[in-house]
Amino acid sequence: QVQLVESGGGLVQAGGSLRLSCAASGRTFSSYAMGWFRQAPGKDREFVATIARSGDNTGYADPVKGRFTISRDNAKNTVYLQMNSLKPEDTAVYYCAAAYSSYTTIFRGISDFGSWGQGTQVTVSS
């Protein structure tokens, strides 16, 4: 498995932007599809975005399509989540996750991912 550490969270006004980073260590990062999930207070953890190990295939949850962009740099063992046009409803703890996979496969289910980070808080004020 890989070890994951998220960073980049914080407090931002509605309409602003943040970029989250997730640094991986351990097994070969390029062997893993990566995902971002979020969990708001009192709600279940939900899928946000995913990217294949190749970086060529991505997927997004409907509420973030057109506003969030997931990317990865396999040379730096890091996956990113660029979040633009943030809304108060984006407030949550954001988690990075890894799933060992074939080259272009992406995943959206929590149970698909075997490694998780500790999360980083994102708060969007209105």
Side-chain angles (χ1 to χ4, degrees):
Q1 294 192 352
V2 292
Q3 291 75 48
L4 304 172
V5 179
E6 302 96 335
S7 62
L11 174 64
V12 63
Q13 289 188 334
S17 298
L18 281 175
R19 188 177 81 155
L20 305 183
S21 299
C22 173
S25 61
R27 297 287 184 90
T28 305
F29 176 70
S30 60
S31 297
Y32 291 82
M34 301 298 295
W36 285 97
F37 290 76
R38 66 187 182 186
Q39 188 166 16
K43 295 188 176 181
D44 293 334
R45 191 170 299 190
E46 64 177 8
F47 166 76
V48 175
T50 183
I51 187 167
R53 56 182 279 189
S54 65
D56 291 339
N57 192 12
T58 59
Y60 297 91
D62 286 343
V64 307
K65 278 182 182 177
R67 299 189 298 122
F68 290 11
T69 302
I70 189 171
S71 62
R72 66 189 295 161
D73 185 338
N74 286 346
K76 295 183 178 181
N77 287 2
T78 302
V79 63
Y80 305 97
L81 185 68
Q82 178 66 45
M83 305 186 295
N84 299 328
S85 302
L86 283 161
K87 305 175 180 180
E89 51 263 44
D90 294 318
T91 295
V93 176
Y94 282 71
Y95 297 91
C96 172
Y100 190 78
S101 74
S102 61
Y103 202 59
T104 58
T105 302
I106 57 174
F107 303 95
R108 296 172 181 260
I110 291 174
S111 61
D112 294 325
F113 293 85
S115 299
W116 292 82
Q118 293 301 305
T120 185
Q121 176 71 47
V122 172
T123 303
V124 184
S125 63
S126 57

